Amino acid sequence: SQKIEQNSEALNIQEGKTATLTCNYTNYSPAYLQWYRQDPGRGPVFLLLIRENEKEKRKERLKVTFDTTLKQSLFHITASQPADSATYLCALGAYSGAGSYQLTFGKGTKLSVIP
Amino acid sequence: ETGVTQTPRHLVMGMTNKKSLKCEQHLGHNAMYWYKQSAKKPLELMFVYSLEERVENNSVPSRFSPECPNSSHLFLHLHTLQPEDSALYLCASSQDIGAHNEQFFGPGTRLTVL
């Protein structure tokens, strides 16, 4: 069966360090992958998109890699700040077979950046 | 108002009640979605609408009934729910149902079924 795993439920990191979050998937052939940030009591907010033919994407302090051979995406936040504390969701996009592209989400990793 | 709005933000209902959740997007998008987010579980896609037509219904029980009167509004009508339906219900929109589109989420409705 299809499975998306985000490495850990919670990750604590010291301010200023690089946070690395992992998203692994099995029995899936995504056309693209997205990362979202979710704060308590709020809906997810889109951060980055990476397509299946792309290896790496960057946006300010964020970097995403996508390895379709390993079936893995890594999400990096460099020079982390307490304001980066949130839950980060990995979402795989694929054609549903019924007319639309759909996102399938992982459970998320709760990141805490300690001052 | 900008983005995606949802009302009510919190809802408590009994198992015999009928209630509706409302979503409105102010982004000019053509696609709208309902998701369910339960504790310790990933977001589950429930319904997809494109230009007011339902495109997907991901094996959702009939006690959940969506309605999309126009491309800016989406409703989720609830009746005879079960306690296990308690969750955060999120509405989202995107430009269309094609590949690569980012989704814009509302703040959600926190539903408690007693």
Side-chain angles (χ1 to χ4, degrees), chain A residues 9 36 38 96 100-102, chain B residues 37 40 56 97 101 103:
Chain A
E9 206 170 303
Y36 287 78
Q38 187 173 22
S96 70
S100 69
Y101 279 81
Q102 292 185 14
Chain B
Q37 189 174 35
K40 306 292 184 184
E56 306 279 356
I97 55 173
N101 286 301
Q103 293 187 10

Side-chain angles (χ1 to χ4, degrees), chain A residues 31-42:
Chain A
Y32 56 100
L33 189 148
Q34 297 179 348
W35 284 88
Y36 287 78
R37 168 184 173 143
Q38 187 173 22
D39 290 284
R42 298 194 169 204

Side-chain angles (χ1 to χ4, degrees), chain A residues 31-84:
Chain A
Y32 56 100
L33 189 148
Q34 297 179 348
W35 284 88
Y36 287 78
R37 168 184 173 143
Q38 187 173 22
D39 290 284
R42 298 194 169 204
V45 175
F46 171 80
L47 296 174
L48 279 168
L49 157 74
I50 188 164
R51 294 173 166 80
E52 61 176 333
N53 61 347
E54 296 175 322
K55 296 291 186 189
E56 183 179 299
K57 271 287 192 59
R58 291 175 186 260
K59 180 182 175 183
E60 297 171 352
R61 293 185 296 111
L62 308 180
K63 185 178 87 171
V64 174
T65 63
F66 193 13
D67 189 326
T68 54
T69 302
L70 288 179
K71 297 187 184 297
Q72 180 182 78
S73 174
L74 299 178
F75 177 78
H76 307 273
I77 306 175
T78 57
S80 58
Q81 304 165 2
D84 296 325

Side-chain angles (χ1 to χ4, degrees), chain A residues 9 31-32 34 36 38 41-46 49 51 89 96-107, chain B residues 9 33 35 37 40-43 45 48 55-56 58 88 90 97-108 110:
Chain A
E9 206 170 303
Y32 56 100
Q34 297 179 348
Y36 287 78
Q38 187 173 22
R42 298 194 169 204
V45 175
F46 171 80
L49 157 74
R51 294 173 166 80
L89 307 175
S96 70
S100 69
Y101 279 81
Q102 292 185 14
L103 292 178
T104 304
F105 283 83
K107 289 184 185 179
Chain B
R9 293 295 308 275
Y33 310 80
Y35 287 88
Q37 189 174 35
K40 306 292 184 184
K41 294 176 76 173
L43 270 78
L45 180 63
V48 180
V55 176
E56 306 279 356
N58 286 6
L88 182 68
L90 290 160
I97 55 173
H100 311 132
N101 286 301
E102 64 179 277
Q103 293 187 10
F104 293 78
F105 285 82
R110 174 68 63 186

